C-alpha cells in the first residue's frame, strides 16, 4: 500500500516564503475536507489566525483564491477566512509555528476491514518533525479505541518530547453532519479526551473558543469509543427498520405508518426510517473500526456484523422490488429504461461517499437494464469507471422511462408531480404516498 506524505513543494503560492517565517498561527488544521475546513472556518471567525495543510494542490490553490470545495463552507465563508488571515499550504513548515495542531485526515477501511491509518500516521510523523514544547496536538479522525495512546503518542514522542510533560495530546471526535443547518460545529457539544488531565484541560480550553459546550471524557479511549458508539447506534437501528420493512411487506403492514405511530411516543423511542442502504463515511464505515478492534481481542461484535449484513443487502432488495414492479406491468428488467433520482448519500448535499445508489446501479446493469440518473448536486456520475447518462428535464424523463426509482429526496424535487407524471415510480424514501406509487 502506497502512503502519501506531506512534502514541501518549494517556494510557491502554497509554500512559505522567507517573509512569513516569523509569523505565528494559533491553529493549524491538517486535512481540509468536510471536517477540517469547517473547523478552520469557525476558528478564523472567532479571531484565531489559522493555517490549513492539505496534500492536494488544487484544494490549496482553490482556497487561497477564495473558492470552497466543501458543501457546508461557501465561497463567501472562505473570503471571510482569508480576510481573517487564513492561508492554506501544501508545505508542512507552517506546523512549526502553530500553537495547536488538529489532524482531520481520512480513515477509510483497509482490505482487511479495519481502519486504514496511513494518512493518520503520515500526518502524525509530519507533526512530530515540527513539534515544539508547549504545543497542543489533537486527533479528530475517527478510529478505534486506543489509537491515540498506542499509535499517535509513540510517533509524536519520537521527537524527544513527552506527551503530558512537554506537549499536550488529545482526541476529539468530529461530529460534522453535512447539510445540517441547525446543528453546526458551534452548536454541537464537543467531546474531548486527553492523555492526561492537563492535556484534556488544554484541549477543552482550545475548543471552548469555538463551540458552546465542551464535554470532557475520562480519557482518549472513552472519547474514541463515544464516536463509534454514536454511529454504531444509528447503524444498528437503521438495520432494524430495514429488515422490518422487508418483513412488514410480507405481513401486509405499512411500515411507514407503523413508524409514524411509534414516533408519537414522547419517551423511550427514536424513529429511524428504511432506505435503499446506508451511505456517508460515518454510519457504514465507523462501526467496522469497533468490530475490527473487538476481533483483535478474540471477540465478535455480532450486532455490528448483523447490521452490516442487513444494510448491505438493501440495494439487492431494492432491485428485486424494481424487477417485480416491472414484471407486474408485463415488462422485464432486461432492456427496460430505469431512471435513478438522487445519487448522493443524503438529501441536499453533493457528497456521494458510500451512497447506496452505486450498488443499485451496478445490480441494474448486471441485469442489463438501461440506466440514467438525475441529481441536482451531481453533474457527472460514474459507476465502476463507466459514466451513467444524466437527464436534464426530470419530468420529461420520468414520463419516458419505464421505471423511476427515487433514491434520495432532494428538496429540489417536486415529489407530488413525480408521483403524477412517472410511468412507474418506486419511492425508497417513503415520501410519496398516492395510488400508483410503490413505496419501499
Amino acid at each position: 500500500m502506497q502512503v502519501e506524505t506531506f512534502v514541501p513543494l518549494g517556494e510557491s503560492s502554497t509554500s512559505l516564503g522567507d517573509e512569513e517565517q516569523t509569523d505565528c498561527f494559533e491553529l493549524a488544521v491538517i486535512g481540509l475536507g468536510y471536517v477540517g475546513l469547517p473547523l478552520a472556518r469557525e476558528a478564523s471567525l472567532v479571531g484565531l489566525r489559522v493555517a490549513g495543510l492539505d496534500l492536494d494542490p488544487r484544494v490549496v490553490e482553490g482556497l487561497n483564491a477564495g473558492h470552497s470545495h466543501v458543501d457546508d463552507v461557501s465561497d463567501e465563508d472562505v473570503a471571510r477566512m482569508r480576510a481573517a488571515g487564513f492561508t492554506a499550504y501544501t508545505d508542512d513548515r507552517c506546523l512549526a509555528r502553530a500553537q495547536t495542531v488538529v489532524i482531520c485526515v481520512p480513515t477509510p477501511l483497509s482490505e482487511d476491514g479495519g481502519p486504514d491509518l496511513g494518512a493518520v500516521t503520515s500526518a502524525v510523523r509530519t507533526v512530530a518533525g515540527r513539534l515544539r514544547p508547549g504545543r497542543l496536538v489533537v486527533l479528530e479522525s475517527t478510529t478505534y479505541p486506543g489509537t491515540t495512546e498506542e499509535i499517535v503518542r509513540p510517533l509524536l514522542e519520537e521527537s524527544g518530547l513527552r506527551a503530558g510533560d512537554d506537549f499536550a495530546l488529545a482526541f476529539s471526535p468530529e461530529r460534522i453532519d453535512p447539510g445540517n443547518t441547525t446543528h453546526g460545529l458551534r452548536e454541537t457539544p464537543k467531546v474531548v479526551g486527553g492523555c492526561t488531565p492537563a492535556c484534556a484541560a488544554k484541549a477543552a480550553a482550545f475548543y471552548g473558543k469555538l463551540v458552546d459546550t465542551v464535554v470532557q471524557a475520562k480519557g482518549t479511549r472513552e472519547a474514541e469509543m463515544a464516536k463509534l458508539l454514536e454511529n454504531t447506534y444509528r447503524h444498528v437501528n437503521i438495520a432494524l427498520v430495514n429488515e422490518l420493512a422487508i418483513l412488514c411487506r410480507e405481513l401486509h403492514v405499512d411500515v411507514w405508518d407503523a413508524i409514524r405511530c411509534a414516533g408519537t411516543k414522547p419517551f423511550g423511542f427514536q424513529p429511524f426510517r428504511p432506505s435503499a442502504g446506508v451511505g456517508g463515511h460515518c454510519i457504514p464505515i465507523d462501526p467496522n473500526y469497533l468490530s475490527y478492534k473487538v476481533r483483535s481481542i478474540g471477540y465478535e461484535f455480532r450486532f455490528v456484523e448483523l447490521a452490516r449484513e442487513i444494510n448491505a443487502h438493501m440495494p439487492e432488495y431494492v432491485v428485486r422490488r424494481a424487477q417485480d414492479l416491472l414484471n407486474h406491468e408485463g415488462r422485464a428488467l432486461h432492456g427496460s429504461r430505469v431512471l435513478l433520482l438522487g445519487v448522493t448519500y443524503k438529501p441536499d448535499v453533493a457528497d456521494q461517499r458510500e451512497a447506496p445508489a452505486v450498488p443499485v446501479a451496478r445490480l441494474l446493469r448486471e441485469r442489463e437494464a438501461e440506466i440514467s440518473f438525475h441529481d441536482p448536486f451531481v453533474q457527472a456520475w460514474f459507476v465502476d469507471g463507466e459514466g451513467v447518462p444524466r437527464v436534464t428535464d426530470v419530468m420529461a424523463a420520468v414520463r419516458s422511462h419505464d421505471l423511476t426509482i427515487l433514491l434520495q429526496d432532494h428538496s429540489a424535487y417536486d415529489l407530488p408531480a413525480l408521483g403524477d407524471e412517472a410511468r412507474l415510480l418506486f419511492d425508497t424514501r417513503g415520501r410519496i404516498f398516492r395510488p400508483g406509487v410503490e413505496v419501499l
Side-chain angles (χ1 to χ4, degrees), residues 3-7 28-32 53-55 90-96 101-107 116-131 137-141 151-153 155-159 169:
V3 177
E4 295 181 293
T5 57
F6 293 102
V7 180
V29 179
I30 302 180
L32 298 174
L53 180 62
D54 200 279
L55 283 173
T90 53
D91 185 334
D92 63 53
R93 282 180 291 172
C94 63
L95 301 181
V101 177
V102 179
I103 300 171
C104 304
V105 296
T107 49
D116 180 350
L117 297 180
V120 170
T121 56
S122 174
V124 172
R125 287 191 174 100
T126 301
V127 174
R130 303 291 184 181
L131 195 57
V137 180
V138 183
L139 176 65
E140 286 205 7
S141 304
I151 294 180
V152 176
R153 182 173 185 167
L155 289 174
L156 291 176
E157 290 184 343
E158 289 180 2
S159 66
L169 176 60

Side-chain angles (χ1 to χ4, degrees), residues 34-312:
Y34 83 103
V35 174
L37 192 57
L39 175 66
R41 175 189 59 189
E42 200 66 38
S44 295
L45 295 183
V46 299
L48 302 186
R49 185 148 189 265
V50 182
L53 180 62
D54 200 279
L55 283 173
D56 192 338
R58 295 169 300 178
V59 167
V60 170
E61 291 165 8
L63 289 170
N64 288 337
H67 303 303
S68 174
H69 59 288
V70 173
D71 284 335
D72 289 345
V73 179
S74 66
D75 288 353
E76 291 76 15
D77 289 333
V78 175
R80 286 193 290 270
M81 292 167 64
R82 294 285 288 144
F86 171 80
T87 305
Y89 298 95
T90 53
D91 185 334
D92 63 53
R93 282 180 291 172
C94 63
L95 301 181
R97 300 178 292 109
Q99 298 169 9
T100 296
V101 177
V102 179
I103 300 171
C104 304
V105 296
T107 49
L109 288 182
S110 61
E111 292 182 1
D112 64 357
D116 180 350
L117 297 180
V120 170
T121 56
S122 174
V124 172
R125 287 191 174 100
T126 301
V127 174
R130 303 291 184 181
L131 195 57
R132 301 290 185 271
R135 302 303 197 253
L136 166 65
V137 180
V138 183
L139 176 65
E140 286 205 7
S141 304
T142 304
T143 184
Y144 59 82
T147 301
T148 305
E149 287 281 0
E150 297 167 9
I151 294 180
V152 176
R153 182 173 185 167
L155 289 174
L156 291 176
E157 290 184 343
E158 289 180 2
S159 66
L161 303 176
R162 317 311 296 174
D165 295 327
D166 303 310
F167 69 93
L169 176 60
F171 180 82
S172 181
E174 60 90 3
R175 283 174 159 177
I176 298 295
D177 184 18
N180 191 328
T181 58
T182 302
H183 297 98
L185 193 149
R186 174 163 289 280
E187 296 81 17
T188 304
K190 201 80 171 75
V191 174
V192 171
C195 288
T196 67
C199 291
K202 189 161 186 173
F206 164 71
Y207 282 111
K209 302 172 185 177
L210 312 182
V211 302
D212 296 335
T213 305
V214 176
V215 180
Q216 287 199 36
K218 184 177 180 180
T220 58
R221 284 180 169 83
E222 287 74 19
E224 291 161 336
M225 179 63 83
K227 171 66 175 180
L228 300 185
L229 175 58
E230 293 167 12
N231 287 323
T232 299
Y233 169 82
R234 295 166 68 192
H235 187 49
V236 169
N237 279 281
I238 291 170
L240 170 65
V241 295
N242 277 337
E243 187 167 41
L244 193 66
I246 296 172
L247 298 176
C248 280
R249 177 172 167 77
E250 300 302 319
L251 294 170
H252 306 290
V253 173
D254 185 335
V255 67
W256 301 96
D257 194 55
I259 293 169
R260 179 186 66 82
C261 292
T264 63
K265 186 178 182 181
F267 55 90
F269 181 82
Q270 180 182 358
F272 289 81
R273 292 171 177 81
S275 65
V278 177
H281 176 269
C282 292
I283 300 177
I285 301 297
D286 294 358
N288 295 291
Y289 302 160
L290 185 54
S291 181
Y292 170 84
K293 185 64 174 179
V294 168
R295 286 198 306 273
S296 73
I297 58 175
Y299 290 87
E300 293 182 358
F301 199 174
R302 289 178 290 174
F303 268 118
V304 168
E305 301 295 340
L306 183 58
R308 181 168 54 195
E309 178 184 334
I310 293 169
N311 288 330

Side-chain angles (χ1 to χ4, degrees), residues 396-416:
V398 299
R399 288 191 292 265
S400 64
H401 282 72
D402 300 303
L403 172 65
T404 298
I405 305 178
L406 180 67
L407 294 173
Q408 200 53 264
D409 51 328
H410 295 302
S411 59
Y413 289 143
D414 185 339
L415 299 179

